[in-house]
Amino acid sequence: MAVAQPDRPSLIAIPNGAKATPMFPAAEMERRLAGVRGTMLELDLQAVLFSSYQNIDYYGDLVFCHFGRLYGLVVSHDTQTSISANIDAGQPYRRTYGENLVYTDWQRDNYFRAVREVLSTGARRLGVELDFITVQTKAKLEAALPGIALVDISAACMRQRMVKSAAEIAHITECARVADVGGYAVRDAIAVGVPEYEVALAGTQAMVREIARTWPHAELMDTWVWFQSGINTDGAHNPVTSRRIEHGDILSLNCFPMVGGYYVALERTLFAGACDDASRRLWDVNVEVHERGIELLVPGARCCDVAAELNEIYRRHDLLQHRTFGYGHSFGVLSHYYGREAGLELREDIETVLEPGMVVSMEPMIMLPEGEPGAGGYREHDILVITEDGNRNITGFPYGPSTNIVS
């Protein structure tokens, strides 16, 4: 029978070492915190408990490692404190923009004791992310905080993250440059007989080294490449395999550097050695959609209207039935396992109006199944910063048949 250890502390501080160099300057972090504190005033909240990767990173400059434990960032009107597990020791203290409190494993549910400890006396209303916490976590919060109302703040914070600051745009632009570095390394590694994983490793290693050179103070984590060949190109998120490249294969290059929780993407269609006529026709159509989509990403455009116009190009070529997902999405604090800003996606059901400071992708994709002429997945992907009078493309790696038939 498990026995708690009452002689050992529930909560501790581990200020181990000096604070790390932050990813963003204090002025940028204070801008973000001022935004959420404005929302707190509007909603009559005394504090907010952030639980998600994206918001703990966005407001606290900390990318945590979940590994089955809960993490948090409590923002009051004048302080912010991360809550981390003892297994991480002093790393969250060093990385958090603000204070840090550690909970131990010695008693069950010490995380909730930490939340109660950090909250200011007299709190009546607490902001939480109901799109992230589980039903069980919500019940335990309510039990630990009797008399405190839990108010969802997730949508308001998502709206704040959707419009990027100058500091964020500069950071994302550098990340896109790193993705290009990975793209060239991938293209150089492509050859008939080479397995997918070797090509992917070349791109990942190039990006990690470039990140270390550009941001020597950053943690190096989560940068990766999906490189797909032949039938494996049918899904945008298909993992790397040991399949070897064959002459005439359709290929999909996907480079994803991660720096300080910020994700960017470079995605390109390529062919190994040769591209047959049926494949070339499909590729040309997808490039047509891609280029028209880039033209449409301007201030005042609605996401749904962009999707509707691009649908018409596919329909004209009798390919709309082969489209597989939305035409693009917001970039910033997100990843393949957290942080999607669902309010800024280029889909038929999203009415968000584009405005300067938003950063979105254009990434049309069609997929023809095995047995059909030109079978495979075709996808191009550029990242656009919406400006006052149009957009700025921060992706440099070339696309299309003129450059990406690799011999």
Side-chain angles (χ1 to χ4, degrees), residues 174-232:
E174 274 293 272
C175 290
R177 181 187 63 79
V178 172
D180 288 341
V181 170
Y184 286 111
V186 164
R187 196 167 69 179
D188 289 346
I190 292 171
V192 171
V194 176
E196 291 177 359
Y197 69 84
E198 289 291 353
V199 178
L201 284 171
T204 301
Q205 290 172 356
M207 289 191 292
V208 169
R209 289 174 178 137
E210 185 62 19
I211 292 168
R213 188 191 68 80
T214 306
W215 294 275
H217 57 282
E219 294 175 321
L220 302 173
M221 57 187 296
D222 294 333
T223 291
W224 85 104
V225 169
W226 280 325
F227 177 77
Q228 301 134 352
S229 64
I231 193 172
N232 293 335

Side-chain angles (χ1 to χ4, degrees), residues 226 228 234-240 256 263 267 340 363 379:
W226 280 325
Q228 301 134 352
D234 66 344
H237 300 160
N238 290 352
V240 171
F256 309 112
Y263 153 102
E267 301 171 10
R340 195 170 184 84
E363 49 178 309
R379 184 170 70 260

Side-chain angles (χ1 to χ4, degrees), residues 79 85 111 171 232 247 263 265 289 392:
T79 63
Y111 172 82
H171 182 76
N232 293 335
H247 180 78
Y263 153 102
V289 173
R392 177 166 59 90

Side-chain angles (χ1 to χ4, degrees), residues 324-336:
T324 63
F325 56 84
Y327 287 104
H329 57 82
S330 180
F331 274 79
V333 181
L334 69 146
S335 179
H336 55 315

Side-chain angles (χ1 to χ4, degrees), residues 51 64 66 68-72 83-85 103 111-112 134 137 140:
S51 306
F64 63 87
H66 172 54
R69 291 177 171 86
L70 298 175
Y71 287 74
I83 297 171
S84 59
Y103 70 93
Y111 172 82
F112 300 97
T134 65
T137 297
K140 289 187 176 184

Side-chain angles (χ1 to χ4, degrees), residues 317-394:
H317 292 281
D318 193 26
L319 290 172
L320 184 58
Q321 67 272 27
H322 296 295
R323 180 186 157 210
T324 63
F325 56 84
Y327 287 104
H329 57 82
S330 180
F331 274 79
V333 181
L334 69 146
S335 179
H336 55 315
Y337 55 87
Y338 68 85
R340 195 170 184 84
E341 293 169 6
L344 184 50
E345 297 192 16
L346 303 175
R347 298 180 1 172
E348 294 86 341
D349 58 339
I350 302 295
E351 298 182 351
T352 301
V353 177
L354 298 182
E355 59 182 277
M358 291 179 171
V359 181
V360 295
S361 61
M362 174 48 56
E363 49 178 309
M365 180 176 176
I366 52 175
M367 190 281 288
L368 281 293
E370 284 290 285
E372 295 195 17
Y378 298 77
R379 184 170 70 260
E380 312 296 345
H381 182 299
D382 285 23
I383 300 176
L384 295 305
V385 178
I386 307 302
T387 61
E388 294 291 339
D389 56 0
N391 66 58
R392 177 166 59 90
N393 192 334
I394 60 174

